[in-house]
Amino acid sequence: MGSAQRSKLIGVIDEGTNSARFAVFKLPQFEELCSHELSITQIIPHEGWSEQNPTELLEAVRLCAVEACYKLETLGYLVSDIASIGITNQRETTVAWDKHTGEPLYNAIVWNDIRTNSTVDKVLARIPDQNHNHFRQVSGLPISPYFSALKLSWLKENVPAVRKACREKRCYAGTIDTWLIWNLTGGPNGGAFVTDVTNASRTLLMNIETLFWDPMLIKTFNLHVDMLPEIRSSSEIYGLIKYDSILDGIPVSAILGNQQASLLGQRCIREGQAKNTYRKGCFLLYNTGTRCVHSTHGLVTTLAYKMGHDKPAVYALEGSIAVAGVAMKWLRDNLGLLKDIPVDSERIAGSVFSTGDVYFVPAFTGLFAPYWRKDARGIICGLTSFTTKHHIIRAALEAVCFQTRDIIEAMKKDCGINLNKLHADGIMTNNTLLMQLQADLVGIPVLKTEVSDPATLGTAMAAAQAKGIDLYNMESDSRDYAQHISHETFLPTTTEEERNARYTKWKMAVQRSLGWAVTKKSDAMTDERYSLLASIPAGLFLLSSFVMLIFSQTKRS
């Protein structure tokens, strides 16, 4: 095999919510040669909490690399043929560790963990009007348990080891990309302590315009800048892998949050293009180009990518849906309505022509975009004596589509542009009924990509085109390559009147889901009042208490 051929392999580390994966791509067509995947243990200490062992994540990545490289060698390649490596990761998931020893100070808090509801309330209690959107113009994000700043604040407040490490200036913290690259490039011995703009834009700590950590935000969440990594572009050489028997000496040249990587892999690199990923949750990103569009309709402003330190930042509007595939898992595990999710959900839901006017709002941990209501809880409404499990399962599929339409409607209001097609990926897109329902309920074509994993592909593209690697030019190649991407297209079959009538009822169902959870806001406000009382001089406080006691006794007599 010639040297030119050998120099055109790219490795990708894909560390997701449920699994770690290492894949190897061959250029110029980005053909996936081999991969290896391992499951990640989910730790659930309490209801609504979700954790992972950071050491397990790192070791899973290393083992996947070993196994994938073994498969690569059986194909006649060498590990040294890999020109560079990219990293894509689950976003918002947060780790804190000791920078001297490399030991985690606590488990990673996963993106969908809601333990920080009380932390949100404490922050809101100090903000005028308790406005969730107070920092949106600076960060692009609402104040929500979803984002990393709240998780870091919780760790510092509730974990003594983290608090002590912060006090002694030895605490490093970051998202999963930072944890991985720091360890892979040397750890305590000179590891690269970096993140990229896409991950940093999910922390509620980065200024969305300057692309630097914002001092006001850091102070608000009681953190300090020396515990946070340097923010870099999504495509550049950050360092070489060290102390790893398999990948030693190979540069890491891309970092992307998994949803932004999927946007690239779907070739949505033009302003006005959008993709939705259908997995446990749904993540819809709409490319707004170099315009930083601040949503006034419940979406978040995020970085889509930045392809080099000297390249412009490309922005996106994003809507995140907490519960998509999770609802089907709930129907299987908690209610026993189906056994094999991929097969049964389509077969059973497809056996009826409609939901029988049943609507399912799966707000198990609140509603994300565009509502941002942590007090929402799941409801099934419209039940009659004729309702069967078939209707409920179909309603669960339609809930995914309605939530997607919620986000598309918000994007339309923010940008003033009607989306003319929606790119789709993720494991749930294998359900053809779901894809048809999505086209019917939003009224635009849905294009399901035949690329098995757009996130790893997008990361490989970013790694290959980094300055110093120079194996690919994304801008010049994207138009030609897009012509060769195969899609399965689903066209709307319903009338506008019909889809709007159904959407109106969905909005009615959403309204009924709000306000169910007991919020902690009153507790936070009570804490503020206690602190106010504590500031009253003791003598005055005792005098007022004595007066109240005399008044109450007089009233009783």
Side-chain angles (χ1 to χ4, degrees):
M1 192 172 297
S3 59
Q5 207 171 359
R6 288 191 179 283
S7 68
K8 293 186 178 180
L9 301 186
I10 299 291
V12 175
I13 294 167
D14 182 354
E15 202 298 298
T17 307
N18 297 303
S19 63
R21 183 169 176 257
F22 189 90
V24 181
F25 291 84
K26 179 182 177 182
L27 276 64
Q29 294 299 324
F30 288 96
E31 170 195 358
E32 185 176 316
L33 295 177
C34 59
S35 69
H36 191 79
E37 184 172 339
L38 289 172
S39 296
I40 299 297
T41 304
Q42 307 298 308
I43 302 168
I44 313 294
H46 305 287
E47 183 181 359
W49 292 31
S50 183
E51 298 177 0
Q52 293 170 338
N53 184 333
T55 303
E56 180 189 347
L57 299 181
L58 179 61
E59 291 308 310
V61 164
R62 285 177 166 148
L63 184 55
C64 285
V66 169
E67 293 297 325
C69 288
Y70 172 76
K71 295 175 184 177
L72 184 68
E73 289 175 340
T74 65
L75 297 174
Y77 295 89
L78 302 175
V79 175
S80 58
D81 298 337
I82 300 175
S84 75
I85 288 171
I87 296 175
T88 184
N89 59 285
Q90 54 173 312
R91 307 171 306 165
E92 296 95 22
T93 299
T94 306
V95 189
W97 69 94
D98 188 313
K99 69 179 183 180
H100 298 312
T101 67
E103 289 298 315
L105 298 169
Y106 190 78
N107 279 337
I109 301 180
V110 181
W111 61 272
N112 57 2
D113 184 291
I114 60 170
R115 76 184 66 188
T116 57
N117 276 342
S118 59
T119 309
V120 169
D121 292 325
K122 289 177 182 177
V123 172
L124 289 175
R126 303 193 299 267
I127 289 174
D129 302 322
Q130 289 77 56
N131 184 1
H132 285 82
N133 294 316
H134 186 74
F135 299 123
R136 191 182 279 274
Q137 287 296 313
V138 178
S139 68
L141 310 175
I143 302 170
S144 165
Y146 189 25
F147 304 111
S148 305
L150 282 304
K151 304 178 197 306
L152 283 176
S153 185
W154 186 93
L155 285 167
K156 188 178 178 184
E157 184 176 331
N158 294 278
V159 181
V162 174
R163 191 160 57 248
K164 184 180 180 186
C166 288
R167 191 166 58 246
E168 296 172 358
K169 304 293 185 183
R170 55 182 174 83
C171 179
Y172 270 178
T175 40
I176 296 299
D177 57 305
T178 300
W179 166 248
L180 293 178
I181 195 169
W182 184 79
N183 278 283
L184 294 173
T185 57
N189 300 304
F193 188 46
V194 297
T195 188
D196 90 301
V197 292
T198 66
N199 282 289
S201 71
R202 313 298 298 182
T203 61
L204 195 52
L205 294 170
M206 188 188 82
N207 186 303
I208 199 73
E209 301 273 4
T210 68
L211 309 185
F212 288 102
W213 300 123
D214 189 90
M216 176 191 65
L217 294 173
I218 290 173
K219 183 178 180 181
T220 296
F221 294 101
N222 195 26
L223 305 171
H224 44 91
V225 73
D226 59 2
M227 70 189 291
L228 300 173
E230 179 186 358
I231 301 174
R232 307 272 285 271
S233 78
S234 309
S235 178
E236 60 179 272
I237 296 176
Y238 313 100
L240 305 180
I241 292 185
K242 301 175 185 175
Y243 310 110
D244 189 290
S245 59
I246 290 292
L247 303 174
D248 267 8
I250 300 175
V252 180
S253 62
I255 303 173
L256 284 159
N258 55 9
Q259 300 308 321
Q260 286 90 338
S262 176
L263 189 76
L264 273 182
Q266 286 266 35
R267 295 308 200 280
C268 295
I269 64 171
R270 301 278 179 253
E271 183 177 348
Q273 294 180 310
K275 71 88 196 176
N276 196 17
T277 296
Y278 298 77
R279 289 185 175 176
K280 290 178 68 175
C282 281
F283 305 90
L284 201 160
L285 271 71
Y286 177 94
N287 188 326
T288 63
T290 55
R291 288 191 305 148
C292 181
V293 177
H294 290 282
S295 175
T296 57
H297 296 90
L299 304 179
V300 304
T301 305
T302 194
L303 264 293
Y305 52 83
K306 189 176 188 295
M307 290 292 105
H309 71 275
D310 57 344
K311 300 294 184 181
V314 174
Y315 291 88
L317 284 174
E318 177 173 345
S320 301
I321 298 167
V323 177
V326 170
M328 308 311 297
K329 186 175 183 294
W330 179 78
L331 291 174
R332 181 192 67 187
D333 298 345
N334 292 38
L335 300 189
L337 298 188
L338 42 80
K339 294 180 180 179
D340 185 307
I341 291 175
V343 175
D344 291 349
S345 62
E346 183 169 1
R347 178 181 59 81
I348 296 174
S351 66
V352 289
F353 292 110
S354 73
T355 66
D357 222 21
V358 171
Y359 289 81
F360 179 9
V361 183
F364 298 149
T365 56
L367 287 171
F368 283 5
Y371 305 101
W372 299 106
R373 291 289 296 266
K374 59 190 178 66
D375 62 341
R377 285 299 178 266
I379 64 165
I380 301 175
C381 58
L383 299 173
T384 70
S385 61
F386 297 101
T387 301
T388 67
K389 71 175 184 179
H390 306 74
H391 299 107
I392 293 173
I393 292 170
R394 190 178 181 103
L397 291 180
E398 286 198 357
V400 177
C401 305
F402 282 126
Q403 290 179 96
T404 299
R405 176 162 176 180
D406 281 338
I407 293 168
I408 291 174
E409 292 292 327
M411 288 178 175
K412 186 189 304 183
K413 293 173 185 174
D414 281 331
C415 297
I417 300 172
N418 289 322
L419 196 65
N420 58 19
K421 61 184 175 182
L422 178 66
H423 293 264
D425 64 73
I427 191 165
M428 288 189 77
T429 61
N430 292 327
N431 187 319
T432 56
L433 174 61
L434 173 65
M435 292 293 95
Q436 185 59 55
L437 288 171
Q438 185 68 87
D440 288 342
L441 294 175
V442 297
I444 58 175
V446 173
L447 278 60
K448 175 199 168 186
T449 181
E450 293 188 4
V451 175
S452 61
D453 192 341
T456 54
L457 173 60
T459 307
M461 291 163 52
Q465 72 101 56
K467 188 174 181 180
I469 305 299
D470 304 314
L471 292 176
Y472 173 67
N473 187 319
M474 187 176 72
E475 284 293 329
S476 64
D477 185 53
S478 61
R479 191 181 301 270
D480 293 336
Y481 192 89
Q483 295 175 356
H484 297 94
I485 296 179
S486 297
H487 295 96
E488 185 176 358
T489 302
F490 297 85
L491 299 175
T493 60
T494 56
T495 65
E496 184 176 0
E497 182 181 10
E498 181 183 353
R499 75 176 66 100
N500 287 342
R502 292 164 73 185
Y503 185 57
T504 297
K505 281 202 169 180
W506 161 257
K507 299 292 279 188
M508 291 168 57
V510 168
Q511 286 301 311
R512 285 159 172 76
S513 77
L514 304 179
W516 282 94
V518 176
T519 69
K520 301 292 184 182
K521 188 171 183 178
S522 57
D523 294 344
M525 297 306 174
T526 302
D527 291 341
E528 292 292 310
R529 288 195 290 270
Y530 281 149
S531 67
L532 180 62
L533 286 172
S535 68
I536 299 174
L540 182 60
F541 181 77
L542 288 171
L543 177 61
S544 63
S545 300
F546 178 72
V547 171
M548 290 300 295
L549 177 62
I550 295 299
F551 176 77
S552 63
Q553 289 177 338
T554 303
K555 189 175 181 180
R556 281 199 297 271
S557 65

